[in-house]
Structures are given as C-alpha cells and as structure tokens.
Amino acid sequence: MINIALFGGEIFYPQYKSVESLRPLLSQIQEGARILKSIPKVAILDIFHEYSKNLIKSPKVNQVEGVAFLSSWLKRNNFSQIVNKNFQTMDYLDHFVGEKKRLKAQPRGLACHWIAGNVPTLGLFSLFQSIFVGNANLLRIPPKSHSTMITLLDVFNDTQSESGWSGHDLLKSVGILYYDRVNHKANQEFSDIADIRIVWGGGSAVKAITGLPKNAHCEDIIFGPKYSFAVFDKDMLASDQLKRQLRFLVSDVFLFDQAACTSPHVVFFERGTLPFEELVSQLQDAFKRAARQFPKIDADPYISSKIINIRAQYALDLQKKVICPIENDWTILINSNIQLEDPVESRTIFLKEVDSVMEALPLITKKIQTIGCAISDKEKLVAFADEATFKGVSRCVNLGQMHLFDSPWDGMLFMSRLVNWTTLYYGK
C-alpha cells in the first residue's frame, strides 16, 4: 500500500499496483507547475518571506528542530542572495535574456525527492528551491517524519502574501508519497518518472536509489552521508572569545542531536598557554548550561546503549578520559589518537589536543562536509581552509553556523542544477 497526499487538492489512498496509479496525482501537480509559471518570482519571494515569519509565530512548528534556521534561510534578502549566486539575476527565470542569443532557465520537469528521516526540515530546503524555479515535485517521506513534514507544509499552505498569491497556490505543484523503504517496485517506478532525482540519506539509502535505472535525461543530485568536525587554534584558546566560541560549539552539537551531516563529532584543540584541563572545564560548563536549557527527550534506545558502552570503555582505559553526568544528557570523551572517531551522536563529542590544527588535514577525505573553525589567526585560517577544501571539504564556517544551509551546499550551486538552460536566437 502506498499513501499519497496532494497539497493542492484532496488526499486519497490508492492501491499501489503500478505507476499508472500515480497518473491522477501527476496530472494535478504538473498542472500546478503550469500555475507556478504564471506566478512572478518576486511574489514567490514574498510568500517565502511571510512563511519565514509564520514558522516562528506558529506554536505548531516553532519548537521543531531546525525551524529557526529554515525561517532565517527563507527570508527575502537571504533567498534572493541564493538566487543571485545561482543565476546572477532572477531575470533568467522569468524570460529570455540577451540580444541576438537569448538565454532562459526553464524548469527541468518532475523533481522526485527521497527525504532522509534524521532531520525532517532538510527536505524543505530542496523543495522550496525546486518550487521557486518552477518544477513539479513529488516527495517520498520516511514514516517517522510524516507528521512533522505535514504540519510544516500545513503552515505554508495557509501562508498569504500581499500579492494575492499564497502557499496554497505553490503547493498545487507538490505531492507526497509514503511507502516502505524496502518497497523496491515503488522506488523503481518513482525513479522511472523523474526528470530530477534528489536524494537525501545515508550510504545504503543513496546506493539503493542511484543504482536504479533512470531516464537518460534525468539529473541526479545527491546529498549523501557526510562527516563534520571542529578546530580551535591556540590564539582562540587564549582570547576573551573562548567562552563564546565554546557555547557556539555546543549549540552545533545540540542542534539535531548530532544526526545531521553538519554536526561536529570531533574537536581538535591546539596546545597553547591555556591548560587543557581548564579548557575541558569550561567546555563542561557550556554543556551543563545547554543541557539545562534544552533537556534531552525521547532518546533513541540504540544510541543510548552506544553511549553507555563507550563511556564504559573510556572509564576502563587509563589512557582515555570520560566526563559526563550520571544521565546521558551529554558526554565528553578524551583521547590522544589523532583520528576521526565513528559518530556516537546524541551530544557525544571527542576531544583531541594537537600541536597544530594542521594535523587534522591528513585525516580529510571527500566525506568531510563541514569544519567549524575557531581560528583567530586569519592567515592560518585561509591556509587551513585552502588545503581542507582542496582535499574535498565543502564548507569551512564559523562555529554556531555549521548547520546554516547555504549556497553552495555540498560543493554545488543546487538551484542552478534544477533548471534546463535554453537558447533563443533572435534576429537576423
């Protein structure tokens, strides 16, 4: 059984026998995409901006993890900057631009999104960009994200703008599918109809989708498994900014409970004048303060057992150290191995003391997505970032901004890949 929700019309539950059962839904969202074509881009920006305010005002969603970032990202000024990074000017999306040789960015068609379940708001970052350029959109949502996604889109559906257009008008181009991830037939037929496949998820999920046959013209955009960490140089440790930077680090750890690809799992601290024990004490205080403000709820039993096991391992090893409360609210693990540890998640961080933050560079592979940098020496910061990005890192950012969805993302200007660049030769 596959359940289908259509935001522009009714909700219905057909038996999923073949792709033919999707035809009514496809017809409606493709007609919704035709409506998108008639909506000025400035009006869509207005709707997004109003939605950014409604997200914060709505008690139904304003406590959802990631909503604050999503709200900031959707504000008119920020979203306009993303459009300009991708297209230089919005004009390419509205009409042919140029003199004799004119260019226009047309929507690619049907964007099929496979959304990961670890961070429900992530799927909206790809959805809203795809809506903006005019594509029809089908989203496959994992079961544990159903209610959150529907509630977020309900708020969008009710969003009005002064232009007279609304979120309801935009969502006529959107459908949501629910089916079990082991339903290979559903995945295959979902893939068969896609003009763009957008995949968010871990290694096995990405392989399962990208291994499926697809149309020759279909564009694949993959947001696969990534790893992130943080670094502090000795000048930062000696500065009056240290406590503030430690609070930013902890906020990056707490948000999404380290389930996001942008979550730091290891922190490298450069040796300096500040004793390491004092540094750890200040970090411990920052964890305690954040835990009081954001108590952990609904802890995953599997991850909780991982935390208990690794705490025990560190407690029994004289070469290692564990600092944690009796509860599993947070965990600091210290060892001298210069390596990237396997993620435990749920507010569990590994600390490493190094002679230089440059010692982290040989550990970098193309799997590393984001490095949170607390490096006071700007020349050192540039040298570190240049080598890190040469080796494959997509983002070197300030602490406190590791989860801030930006453009480019994962090394790509995402929105520009959602369109088909077309030409018109005009004149003699």
Side-chain angles (χ1 to χ4, degrees), residues 149-377:
M149 180 65 78
I150 294 298
T151 305
L152 286 164
L153 290 179
D154 276 340
V155 175
F156 185 63
N157 192 57
D158 295 336
T159 297
Q160 303 288 326
S161 73
E162 292 183 358
S163 66
W165 296 100
S166 68
H168 178 76
D169 296 313
L170 304 187
L171 286 176
K172 289 178 180 178
S173 66
V174 178
I176 295 179
L177 281 67
Y178 312 130
Y179 60 81
D180 194 284
R181 63 181 180 179
V182 299
N183 189 336
H184 180 78
K185 184 172 184 288
N187 270 330
Q188 178 59 73
E189 295 193 342
F190 194 30
S191 176
D192 285 341
I193 60 176
D195 298 307
I196 319 166
R197 299 191 304 186
I198 302 168
V199 185
W200 298 83
S204 59
V206 167
K207 288 179 181 178
I209 304 308
T210 56
L212 295 170
K214 63 175 183 176
N215 292 313
H217 67 270
C218 181
E219 173 83 355
D220 275 351
I221 304 176
I222 309 301
F223 298 107
K226 296 289 184 176
Y227 188 101
S228 299
F229 64 88
V231 295
F232 282 71
D233 77 340
K234 60 184 178 183
D235 291 338
M236 182 61 73
L237 299 184
S239 76
D240 57 5
Q241 291 293 307
L242 177 59
K243 288 187 177 180
R244 186 167 180 259
Q245 292 296 320
L246 291 176
R247 289 198 301 271
F248 286 152
L249 169 65
V250 172
S251 72
D252 286 332
V253 170
F254 271 53
L255 190 61
F256 304 126
D257 232 14
Q258 290 178 290
C261 58
T262 47
S263 299
H265 300 283
V266 176
V267 189
F268 296 95
F269 291 99
E270 204 171 68
R271 288 186 181 89
T273 56
L274 181 70
F276 190 60
E277 294 75 12
E278 172 60 25
L279 169 65
V280 173
S281 177
Q282 291 191 36
L283 181 58
Q284 182 179 355
D285 290 342
F287 267 101
K288 288 178 179 178
R289 185 181 301 109
R292 287 193 297 268
Q293 188 175 0
F294 305 104
K296 188 184 291 188
I297 55 176
D298 299 328
D300 182 278
Y302 171 69
I303 295 179
S304 295
S305 67
K306 286 175 64 178
I307 294 171
I308 292 169
N309 288 337
I310 200 162
R311 283 180 174 185
Q313 292 173 26
Y314 271 65
L316 294 172
D317 191 332
L318 296 178
Q319 303 301 313
K320 300 177 179 179
K321 187 173 182 180
V322 56
I323 300 171
C324 59
I326 296 175
E327 305 80 8
N328 72 347
D329 288 346
W330 52 269
T331 306
I332 297 173
L333 301 165
I334 304 170
N335 71 58
S336 58
N337 299 325
I338 309 303
Q339 64 186 40
L340 296 177
E341 309 283 353
D342 291 337
V344 177
E345 298 184 7
S346 197
R347 309 175 183 183
T348 304
I349 198 78
F350 296 87
L351 306 189
K352 316 279 186 178
E353 192 174 23
V354 294
D355 291 325
S356 169
V357 292
M358 301 300 181
E359 292 180 53
L361 293 172
L363 306 175
I364 292 173
T365 67
K366 294 188 183 299
K367 186 179 179 180
I368 308 301
Q369 196 233 43
T370 299
I371 302 178
C373 299
I375 301 177
S376 289
D377 185 327

Side-chain angles (χ1 to χ4, degrees), residues 401-415:
Q401 298 181 3
M402 294 184 70
H403 302 295
L404 188 60
F405 192 95
D406 198 4
S407 183
W409 188 261
D410 272 7
M412 70 182 86
L413 290 168
F414 173 70
M415 201 183 303

